[in-house]
Amino acid sequence: MSAPRDLLAALGRTIVGQHETLEALVLAAIADGHVLLEGPPGLAKTLACRALAAALDGDFKRIQFTPDLLPSDVVGTRIFDQSETAFSTVLGPVFANVLLADEINRAPAKVQSALLEAMQERQVTIGPQTHPLPDPFVVLATMNPLDADGTYALPLAQMDRFLMKIVLDYPTREEERRILERFGAEDVDLARGVASLDDVRAWRAGARDVHADEKLKDYVVDLVAATRNPSPDASGYVERGASPRATLAILRLARAKAYLESRTFVLPDDVRTVALPVLRHRIAFSYRVQAEAIDPDALVRACIATVPAP
Amino acid sequence: MRASIAAGALALAAALPGGAAADPLPRLNVVSFTFTADARSPALEQPFHLVIDVRLRGRVADLEGVVLPQLGTLEILGDEKHTLAAGSDTDYRETIAVVAHRGGSMRIPPAYLDAIDARDGKPKRFLSNDLTLNVAGPASVLAGSAASARLWPVAGFLIGAVLIVGLAFAAFGLRKTPPPVVANAPEPPPDPAIVLSRTGASPDAASAARDRLTSDPTREGALAARSALWRSVGAGDGETLADVVRRPSAHDPALRAVLRAIERAAFTDDADRPAAIADALRALDGYRA
């Protein structure tokens, strides 16, 4: 059986830098969750998702979200087959092991809801039939923070469905130089078949058995509570804190992180490392954050910093 | 919040010596702040480098305000600053090329940085570690710079006077006792060129941690031993292992092995704990040795 580290190393051989993103993709596979990727165009978000699908030997589908997209374009539809004189079901692109929902905020709410419902229920109902989605099923959705025109912001309740949100930034000078060397001449070959879908299922089972000490569970609860009762300095900027789903997500990801690092127990560092990507999209910030050009991540970090680690 | 930050910044500026009250303090989350030297054996008149590293959480375009300490008799040849993004963090490195014109031991006080601590919004002075240098060679070398060249006449006079007095004492001594016969006396070992300040947990703390783990091989005992060791390297409650191993006082690989082993002993499950504690005790013995 392959180890999750092998998968991470394979992704690292394709993508230059972006370590946090690549680790998030592997953690999502281990923790059976979905990832929201936010970053400007051209930062290899799509390539990273393709690399993950290729390395996992799974099906990869991509949906480019546009304002005229319909729910049936995502989940599938029923068409009348004249030769059979009956309706038959055509499954949509959501039936894949790794689904890239590109620019998810460019589609209207009903399309977003169709996808997010599939993410949560892991099944799709088309007409009278219910179809389970493949296992594993990982959705990697991207959002471009620069072009806000013609977008439909995801409601907080829908953002909550994503296990974590990763914010991508431009590469360093050295990384960009390596990108030139790696991708300048020809298309890069993706590493294929590094791990099987059975391996991923085994990782998930292994991560569920990772031990989390009682003190760490208290730490997780305190972290999420700190977003609901922020410090006086931050309270004017936070409208609503994170939900209990965030509490569950932090512990699940902390276990996945420990499993990725071949440990059978969670450390406080695991919890603190995953707290920011779990919490940053689950907190409702007030208008003052935008009006005063405050970095929301700085507020989340401040909340995390107020809670002493065990 | 801004009003309180501004008030805090002004209060700090007034409190700090030479603080510029008009300049607002930057709001920073300082993760680590270290002061090191790159050469193990710098000779007199041979340039070497002092390096200040600051790791900041989050992206910071440029860091200004790192104040260099007084470098004593070291002559500064150049100063280079770089600010680099490191994932979601920022690394600031200042490299100061220096040359020593005088041998012997010297202590360089810490560098410092005044800023609003982003973690609690309070103005603080962040200090690096200090640095103890022991440059091999005579306490005074009177060549190699224009300033020292001007001291030649004075030095010549002093050396001459010392030689005359020394010869007089030697002649007096020769009449009293025969000189000891020393054949092929071994040369003293050369001084280490640079001795960094001692880092790491004190032997007492390591012993106390070992005693605690031995007498109480439970989760509580492991947590208590962990707490004692962390305090001895200057770490406070509420930090994580990643914070602790970034401290200059925990750069010793043997100490890091101890800290990691005790972390496992404190947070692993009950079935694995006896083995984890045994590993921690072995690591402690290795560190104490």
Side-chain angles (χ1 to χ4, degrees):
Chain A
M1 186 178 83
S2 299
R5 278 269 156 210
D6 302 333
L7 177 61
L8 186 59
L11 297 180
R13 284 195 294 274
T14 303
I15 309 291
V16 177
Q18 307 284 14
H19 180 79
E20 190 190 3
T21 307
L22 303 185
E23 190 175 277
L25 300 187
V26 178
L27 289 177
I30 300 172
D32 199 15
H34 311 291
V35 183
L36 185 59
L37 300 167
E38 186 182 281
L43 291 185
K45 296 189 288 287
T46 308
L47 180 62
C49 301
R50 278 178 50 217
L52 177 70
L56 284 182
D57 238 356
D59 291 334
F60 170 73
K61 298 270 177 61
R62 172 181 173 165
I63 308 172
Q64 182 68 45
F65 277 54
T66 54
D68 58 352
L69 203 69
L70 296 172
S72 57
D73 296 332
V74 175
V75 297
T77 189
R78 282 167 64 76
I79 58 169
F80 186 72
D81 186 341
Q82 285 191 332
S83 61
E84 299 286 333
T85 62
F87 280 95
S88 64
T89 304
V90 178
L91 300 180
V94 75
F95 288 85
N97 295 114
V98 178
L99 176 69
L100 173 61
D102 225 353
E103 299 198 81
I104 192 172
N105 55 338
R106 293 210 173 271
K110 60 183 178 183
V111 182
Q112 292 173 1
S113 295
L115 174 64
L116 293 164
E117 196 178 323
M119 287 163 56
Q120 183 68 21
E121 306 298 331
R122 302 200 176 247
Q123 61 183 22
V124 169
T125 302
I126 305 169
Q129 294 170 326
T130 298
H131 303 268
L133 290 170
D135 181 32
F137 173 61
V138 180
V139 175
L140 309 167
T142 71
M143 287 203 307
N144 175 355
L146 302 180
D147 302 324
D149 292 344
T151 60
Y152 301 84
L154 265 68
L156 202 63
Q158 296 191 352
M159 298 272 268
D160 209 21
R161 309 282 173 87
F162 287 97
L163 189 62
M164 60 176 131
K165 177 182 172 185
I166 301 298
V167 178
L168 289 89
D169 206 347
Y170 288 106
T172 63
R173 182 182 166 76
E174 291 74 23
E175 287 169 352
E176 198 143 4
R177 188 73 179 75
R178 279 164 50 212
I179 289 170
L180 266 184
E181 284 166 10
R182 192 174 294 185
F183 298 95
E186 56 192 24
D187 284 347
V188 70
D189 286 333
L190 302 179
R192 293 185 185 280
V194 177
S196 68
L197 299 179
D198 282 339
D199 288 342
V200 176
R201 287 187 276 268
W203 298 345
R204 282 194 329 224
R208 276 195 291 269
D209 290 339
V210 168
H211 173 74
D213 190 88
E214 296 304 313
K215 277 179 177 286
L216 290 173
K217 290 178 184 169
D218 289 340
Y219 181 39
V220 173
V221 171
D222 290 344
L223 280 174
V224 177
T227 68
R228 297 174 204 152
N229 305 294
S231 64
D233 276 351
S235 60
Y237 298 93
V238 176
E239 272 186 0
R240 275 195 313 281
S243 70
R245 194 178 275 153
T247 316
L248 296 169
I250 290 177
L251 190 60
R252 211 161 96 202
L253 269 176
R255 284 187 160 124
K257 173 103 175 130
Y259 188 81
L260 174 63
E261 295 182 358
S262 308
R263 271 186 277 109
T264 56
F265 53 92
V266 178
L267 291 180
D269 273 317
D270 300 325
V271 174
R272 201 178 61 175
T273 304
V274 302
L276 177 63
V278 169
L279 293 173
R280 59 158 55 110
H281 59 294
R282 293 182 152 101
I283 297 173
F285 296 104
S286 74
Y287 72 95
R288 287 180 62 193
V289 169
Q290 205 166 9
E292 297 176 27
I294 304 282
D295 176 13
D297 274 4
L299 290 171
V300 182
R301 283 198 193 94
C303 280
I304 294 170
T306 58
V307 183
Chain B
M1 186 167 75
R2 284 191 167 178
S4 66
I5 290 170
L10 286 172
L12 178 69
L16 298 176
D23 294 336
L25 293 176
R27 190 181 180 91
L28 301 171
N29 186 339
V30 180
V31 177
S32 64
F33 190 3
T34 60
F35 187 23
T36 53
D38 70 343
R40 297 294 302 166
S41 304
L44 284 170
E45 308 304 330
Q46 292 293 315
F48 63 105
H49 299 96
L50 303 175
V51 183
I52 293 172
D53 283 307
V54 185
R55 171 157 278 211
L56 303 166
R57 188 126 301 154
R59 292 292 173 92
V60 178
D62 196 14
L63 178 64
E64 292 177 353
V66 174
V67 180
L68 295 180
Q70 291 292 327
L71 298 181
T73 56
L74 295 177
E75 183 187 351
I76 297 179
L77 303 176
D79 189 359
E80 205 174 282
K81 299 171 186 177
H82 292 291
T83 307
L84 284 175
S88 58
D89 293 348
T90 302
D91 279 338
Y92 168 88
R93 168 166 283 198
E94 182 164 355
T95 307
I96 308 126
V98 292
V99 63
H101 298 305
R102 179 176 292 187
S105 178
M106 69 176 77
R107 177 186 167 276
I108 302 179
Y112 69 86
L113 167 65
D114 293 330
I116 304 288
D117 189 345
R119 286 166 288 204
D120 57 11
K122 293 178 181 167
K124 289 180 185 169
R125 172 163 288 183
F126 295 91
L127 293 167
S128 75
N129 56 299
D130 61 359
L131 199 60
T132 302
L133 303 180
N134 193 359
V135 183
S140 177
V141 169
L142 302 170
S145 72
S148 57
R150 285 197 296 273
L151 297 173
W152 264 110
V154 178
F157 174 78
L158 287 174
I159 291 169
V162 169
L163 278 175
I164 290 166
V165 172
L167 285 172
F169 273 103
F172 182 75
L174 278 175
R175 283 201 307 167
K176 294 287 185 187
T177 56
V181 178
V182 179
N184 300 322
E187 290 186 4
D191 289 338
I194 291 183
V195 180
L196 295 177
S197 301
R198 193 196 185 288
T199 60
S202 69
D204 289 347
S207 297
R210 195 190 191 293
D211 293 345
R212 182 64 201 255
L213 269 181
T214 310
S215 63
D216 184 12
T218 62
R219 172 176 173 272
E220 286 66 33
L223 285 168
R226 172 181 181 260
S227 182
L229 268 181
W230 282 28
R231 275 199 303 276
S232 75
V233 296
D237 289 338
E239 294 190 46
T240 66
L241 181 64
D243 299 327
V244 178
V245 297
R246 272 199 292 263
R247 286 176 172 272
S249 53
H251 279 185
D252 182 351
L255 176 58
R256 287 180 169 199
V258 171
L259 293 170
R260 290 197 182 96
I262 289 191
E263 193 80 348
R264 176 186 159 206
F267 290 104
T268 193
D269 58 296
D270 290 341
D272 180 49
R273 187 160 286 114
I277 287 177
D279 282 348
L281 288 172
R282 270 194 295 276
L284 272 166
D285 288 342
Y287 175 66
R288 294 195 311 162

